[in-house]
Amino acid sequence: MTSAVTPVLDQPQVIEVQPNGDMDGATRIYKKHLGDMSGIYVDEAAYQAQVAEKGAEELIYYVHEHKYQDGPGSLIVGTSTLLPGKVGDEYAVTRGHIHAQENRAELYHCLSGHGLMLLETRSGESFVAELTPGKAVNVPGHWIHRSVNVGDEPFVTLFCYASDAGQNYDIIAHANGMKTIIVDDGEGGWKAAPNPRHGGYAAGDQ
Ligand code: NI
């Protein structure tokens, strides 16, 4: 008589996701405040003035994560909610990152608001994906990515990526920001502009 070990499989999960980014069963929620955004925006004087005016605890964005399995092949699903605003001429952004395992891809699907996914590679390619509800962007591995809110209401995306991807935020900090910034075009819209501080990305481990 032989005995077989039956693996205990995780059960499928139904997740209720609201257009405002609220989701049931989040395993982690984190928030970023104005004080966490030091060095992110080009106009440092405007940033400091905003900190003085609104306080370092002013909420900028928050993330709900649903990570219920671990290990290769499993997924993290979540929502990112980036509040509207500007620092100087520059629209509100998330910190941005490349995945620590750089070949890991990610999907972002816009649930509400109007925003951009700003994408760059270490070798200097840029891509701007404009997102409104119903539009999604499939971000391949090896692309640095950041959300930008160019609208008047919260920009909410549903994201999904491999749970072993990880995040490398230093790549942007070490380059003194992304190559491209998104600024007011003077007519209530947005335009992409070169970041005068950007020093280039270091070669990666591709
Ligand atoms: Ni990512």
Side-chain angles (χ1 to χ4, degrees), residues 155-180:
F155 174 48
V156 186
T157 50
L158 176 76
F159 60 76
C160 181
Y161 66 101
S163 64
D164 63 356
Q167 283 90 12
N168 168 0
Y169 298 97
D170 289 342
I171 186 172
I172 296 175
H174 290 163
N176 287 320
M178 291 182 73
K179 182 180 175 185
T180 300

Side-chain angles (χ1 to χ4, degrees), residues 106-118:
E106 185 159 6
L107 177 81
Y108 285 91
H109 176 234
C110 180
L111 297 177
S112 59
H114 178 201
L116 313 174
M117 198 59 59
L118 180 58

Side-chain angles (χ1 to χ4, degrees), residues 97-162:
H97 59 263
I98 195 168
H99 290 149
Q101 295 211 51
E102 297 193 3
N103 65 357
R104 297 299 194 259
E106 185 159 6
L107 177 81
Y108 285 91
H109 176 234
C110 180
L111 297 177
S112 59
H114 178 201
L116 313 174
M117 198 59 59
L118 180 58
L119 305 167
E120 294 179 354
T121 62
R122 288 181 182 269
S123 57
E125 293 172 272
S126 287
F127 188 92
V128 177
E130 187 165 12
L131 297 179
T132 50
K135 287 195 176 177
V137 57
N138 186 341
V139 180
H142 302 288
W143 284 80
I144 300 158
H145 44 285
R146 152 182 288 171
S147 299
V148 187
N149 189 342
V150 296
D152 299 326
E153 53 187 282
F155 174 48
V156 186
T157 50
L158 176 76
F159 60 76
C160 181
Y161 66 101

Side-chain angles (χ1 to χ4, degrees), residues 35-104:
D36 300 317
M37 304 301 285
S38 177
I40 300 287
Y41 292 100
V42 170
D43 190 338
E44 177 66 18
Y47 170 74
Q48 292 298 342
Q50 209 165 103
V51 172
E53 182 194 344
K54 298 181 176 176
E57 291 305 306
E58 176 82 358
L59 186 61
I60 303 299
Y61 65 94
Y62 55 92
V63 173
H64 290 233
E65 272 184 7
H66 190 281
K67 179 184 182 183
Y68 128 93
Q69 258 191 323
D70 224 336
S74 62
L75 297 174
I76 294 177
V77 179
T79 59
S80 164
T81 300
L82 173 59
L83 301 179
K86 271 184 281 190
V87 174
D89 288 339
E90 203 176 341
Y91 283 102
V93 296
T94 59
R95 291 170 66 200
H97 59 263
I98 195 168
H99 290 149
Q101 295 211 51
E102 297 193 3
N103 65 357
R104 297 299 194 259

